[in-house]
Amino acid sequence: DFFTCPNGKKVPFQYLSNRTDKAGFKRTFRVYECEDCSGCPLRVHCTKAKGNRKIFYNAHWEQQKAYIREQLSKEETGEIYGKRKIDVEPVFGFLKANL
């Protein structure tokens, strides 16, 4: 159970993290942390953290993102969202400009 970083190092599972957002919704993440990122030539492209690279993974969230990505890639759905730019967005712009 691990990810592989761009430099080819393993990023193994470390622990489970539970978070609660402002609405009280609880989420559980699997936290993966690289063993040692010091001296890595790809560190700049991989992470901005001071310590080692961490990956927070929630399988349910990833599944939802994949579903929405699939829905948005359909031509019919693209037409619906294209209309939103014409119908809805200008109203928000007018409100913002006038207030």
Side-chain angles (χ1 to χ4, degrees), residues 48-65:
K48 294 179 183 178
K50 291 181 181 177
N52 295 328
R53 165 130 190 223
K54 285 186 181 181
I55 299 171
F56 292 83
Y57 182 79
N58 180 307
H60 182 67
W61 175 246
E62 296 299 326
Q63 181 183 10
Q64 286 180 326
K65 287 195 306 185

Side-chain angles (χ1 to χ4, degrees), residues 7-21:
N7 196 25
K9 289 187 177 181
K10 287 186 179 180
V11 184
F13 170 75
Q14 296 294 324
Y15 58 93
L16 289 174
S17 173
N18 294 311
R19 292 184 183 174
T20 305
D21 62 11

Side-chain angles (χ1 to χ4, degrees), residues 35-55:
E35 296 165 351
D36 185 25
C37 291
S38 60
C40 178
L42 301 176
R43 181 184 174 91
V44 177
H45 305 292
C46 190
T47 185
K48 294 179 183 178
K50 291 181 181 177
N52 295 328
R53 165 130 190 223
K54 285 186 181 181
I55 299 171

